[in-house]
Amino acid sequence: MTLPQATKYAIIGAGIHGLSTAFHLAQMLKATGKGSGADILIVDKTAVAAGASGIACGVVRNNYFQPAMRELMAHSVEVWESDPKAYSYHPVGYMQISPECMRADVASIYEQQQAIGYESVFVDGAEASARYMKGLFDDWQAQGITSVLHEKRGGYANNQASMHGLAAKAEAEGVRILPGVEVQSFEFGSNSGAVTALNTNQGRIACETVVVGVGPWVNKIWNLLELPKQITVKANGKVRDDVPMWKFWCLEEGTLGVDPLMHRTNDGRFPPVLHVDTDAPLYSDRDGKLITDKIWGIYYKPDFNFGGVQGGASPYKVDQDPDRVAVDPYGPESPEFVVGEDFIDMWCSALAHCQKRFEGQMPRYKREENSGGLGCFTPDNFPVFDVFRENVYVIADSNHGYKMIGVGKLVAQELVGEKSMLLEPFRFGRFAKGELHPTSHSPFPWS
Ligand SMILES: Cc1cc2nc3c(=O)[nH]c(=O)nc-3n(C[C@H](O)[C@H](O)[C@H](O)COP(=O)(O)OP(=O)(O)OC[C@H]3O[C@@H](n4cnc5c(N)ncnc54)[C@H](O)[C@@H]3O)c2cc1C
């Protein structure tokens, strides 16, 4: 396809947000008589699913301590459920299994899930939790657990397959997707700050509206848009004017190369995605050494796509100036941001801590496949969905976003002129106003 000289809507990035926005926008333009998919162009410097969406573990859950995140996730789960085949979505459910320091937080999540009609079960107390877990897995042995939240909806989707399914749906609506087109700079209007054109490695594209869905590359695009590197944040009654807008964390995930069927429930079904946090000491399943006596957490699921039991642990902060972090080459290709021996020892030992069937399985970890990847986070670790420079809609999900397939639908709704209450708590202005999202006791920056 040749590079068009102009488009009404230019979407940068063919990940979950760019593709979902394009597909839903095409439908809404047609329904409102305002246009069609032919008005939308997606450019991607590599290809569909080349970013975080293409390597994500793919977990879809509602479990968030922040009410605004829960409501948004409930909306996204509906979108996943609307076409499970195309989205390669497996609605096996999700479990948050927690220690005492998280019990009150998770109990409140459960109460609010009931209030919004999101089906879940809450099991309270150490004995009841052990009984519930052994009812599902007779080899359950995790220590320090005092509550279980079992979400009956949610589950996971296959990363690459879901992105290609979404791309096919967008293209069927007339959207054009151009791989190998990198946005290198923007042209701004002379009488306004609006973007009037994208300058790419393939040429110039004039545009009326821009949507940015570039995942971990957001810091780079933010700089090209000449938006502030440091911002004002009001938190705990204090105001700071020098808070870096972006920071990176490295996500650690991997696969135990066992038969995925070895991880089934007592009655032979595919289990929910399990997320276990505990403050019980964790000892190495390799040599018995203490790995940590601080709170730790893992998540895992059987997954034929990854060829084993796949999952991850808490990410670590990348302590570098965000402008110097090497985002490319991304994901498994990165020489710097892939998992190492510490992760393998920790994650495999944690699996063995939780279920006897994983004891002694560490040698089967898939060392031959690099895994892990960067995420770019905002000052409060929650998304920013907002319009900058008058006509640039930035979807910066702070690495929460594979599960957020519904965000593109809400952004499309806003682009055709209807404000979304679900997106309102994620505006950029919340930082200066001090309207930050509450934080939980989870060891993860995204819970
Ligand atoms: C290892 C890992 C596991 C994860 N697991 C989960 C999970 O289980 N559940 C969950 O909900 N979230 C998960 N996440 C987070 C989630 O994957 C991301 O938040 C989400 O995929 C981001 O989607 P996106 O559309 O914003 O960006 P991406 O999917 O990263 O897509 C951005 C695209 O933009 C393109 N691009 C970048 N710069 C330019 C440019 N200048 N010009 C043109 N194109 C450009 C890239 O090539 C890329 O294709 C995980 C993340 C990682 C790294």
Side-chain angles (χ1 to χ4, degrees):
M1 191 190 279
T2 49
L3 194 78
Q5 292 185 343
T7 183
K8 190 163 180 198
Y9 297 96
I11 299 184
I12 311 172
I16 186 93
H17 299 307
L19 293 168
S20 175
T21 303
F23 166 59
H24 291 103
L25 180 60
Q27 287 193 324
M28 288 178 202
L29 287 173
K30 208 187 289 174
T32 54
K34 291 180 176 169
S36 72
D39 298 316
I40 306 167
L41 175 70
I42 304 182
V43 294
D44 195 292
K45 72 189 183 81
T46 309
V48 169
S53 308
I55 60 167
C57 174
V59 175
V60 175
R61 65 181 159 107
N62 180 270
N63 173 41
Y64 272 97
F65 182 60
Q66 302 71 24
M69 288 293 278
R70 268 198 310 276
E71 289 192 31
L72 196 53
M73 297 312 157
H75 170 268
S76 277
V77 169
E78 276 169 25
V79 177
W80 284 109
E81 289 170 347
S82 68
D83 195 347
K85 196 159 171 252
Y87 298 143
S88 205
Y89 172 59
H90 306 276
V92 292
Y94 173 89
M95 297 180 84
Q96 168 67 52
I97 300 153
S98 316
E100 186 57 21
C101 65
M102 289 174 62
R103 183 153 64 130
D105 288 356
V106 181
S108 84
I109 292 172
Y110 167 72
E111 276 160 27
Q112 291 169 43
Q113 284 179 339
Q114 302 315 294
I116 61 169
Y118 195 85
E119 194 192 347
S120 61
V121 168
F122 184 64
V123 185
D124 200 359
E127 266 178 45
S129 299
R131 211 176 315 120
Y132 191 85
M133 292 311 297
K134 278 181 185 287
L136 284 172
F137 307 102
D138 50 22
D139 66 338
W140 185 259
Q141 55 187 16
Q143 301 298 303
I145 302 302
T146 66
S147 71
V148 174
L149 176 70
H150 186 169
E151 297 181 353
K152 297 303 176 89
R153 292 167 70 191
Y156 72 100
N158 300 120
N159 49 29
Q160 291 276 331
S162 57
M163 290 310 104
H164 288 284
L166 194 47
K169 282 166 82 94
E171 285 178 324
E173 294 289 338
V175 172
R176 289 164 297 170
I177 304 176
L178 285 186
V181 180
E182 178 173 12
V183 174
Q184 297 178 325
S185 66
F186 294 97
E187 280 177 28
F188 305 115
S190 42
N191 296 321
S192 78
V195 168
T196 51
L198 315 180
N199 290 316
T200 79
N201 58 338
Q202 305 288 329
R204 178 181 186 275
I205 307 169
C207 55
E208 292 177 26
T209 299
V210 181
V211 177
V212 173
V214 294
W217 291 269
V218 65
N219 173 58
K220 198 166 174 190
I221 290 285
W222 186 264
N223 289 343
L224 293 179
L225 287 166
E226 298 171 11
L227 294 169
K229 282 178 189 289
Q230 295 190 326
I231 64 160
T232 301
V233 177
K234 188 172 164 192
N236 308 320
K238 291 191 188 130
V239 180
R240 277 183 56 196
D241 294 323
D242 57 354
V243 179
M245 180 59 205
W246 303 109
K247 59 184 179 283
F248 286 91
W249 288 67
C250 184
L251 279 89
E252 302 213 279
E253 293 194 345
T255 304
L256 196 61
V258 293
D259 181 352
L261 294 176
M262 70 98 80
H263 179 34
R264 281 188 288 182
T265 58
N266 294 342
D267 58 3
R269 289 191 221 188
F270 276 103
V273 175
L274 301 187
H275 182 119
V276 185
D277 293 312
T278 177
D279 47 16
L282 178 62
Y283 296 97
S284 171
D285 193 41
R286 180 157 43 200
D287 55 20
K289 279 193 193 139
L290 178 71
I291 294 176
T292 182
D293 55 3
K294 309 251 164 21
I295 185 167
W296 54 268
I298 59 162
Y299 47 94
Y300 59 101
K301 58 177 163 43
D303 192 324
F304 287 95
N305 184 39
F306 281 98
V309 169
Q310 191 269 350
S314 309
Y316 65 86
K317 246 183 212 161
V318 177
D319 200 10
Q320 291 176 28
D321 173 350
D323 290 347
R324 291 179 171 272
V325 173
V327 184
D328 288 300
Y330 186 68
E333 312 303 324
S334 168
E336 201 178 347
F337 299 113
V338 287
V339 305
E341 275 307 314
D342 284 357
F343 167 78
I344 297 169
D345 190 27
M346 184 272 162
W347 185 68
C348 295
S349 302
L351 288 175
H353 174 102
C354 294
Q355 292 188 255
K356 198 167 181 54
R357 72 190 73 182
F358 296 117
E359 287 180 2
Q361 299 284 359
M362 199 181 303
R364 306 185 73 175
Y365 181 89
K366 288 192 166 189
R367 284 186 168 73
E368 67 282 9
E369 290 173 13
N370 278 342
S371 56
L374 287 172
C376 194
F377 289 70
T378 65
D380 66 356
N381 296 330
F382 290 101
V384 168
F385 307 126
D386 212 341
V387 176
F388 298 85
R389 301 200 76 111
E390 299 169 39
N391 66 343
V392 182
Y393 204 122
V394 175
I395 306 175
D397 70 14
S398 202
N399 201 73
H400 291 270
Y402 178 85
K403 66 184 83 58
M404 299 167 105
I405 195 170
V407 164
K409 187 172 180 181
L410 300 170
V411 169
Q413 184 187 312
E414 296 209 316
L415 290 172
V416 295
E418 196 189 323
K419 280 272 164 237
S420 160
M421 291 312 291
L422 289 178
L423 296 184
E424 210 48 49
F426 301 98
R427 306 303 184 199
F428 179 70
R430 76 173 182 274
F431 296 116
K433 288 189 215 149
E435 292 169 0
L436 305 184
H437 294 275
T439 49
S440 74
H441 291 90
S442 158
F444 289 77
W446 56 70
S447 284

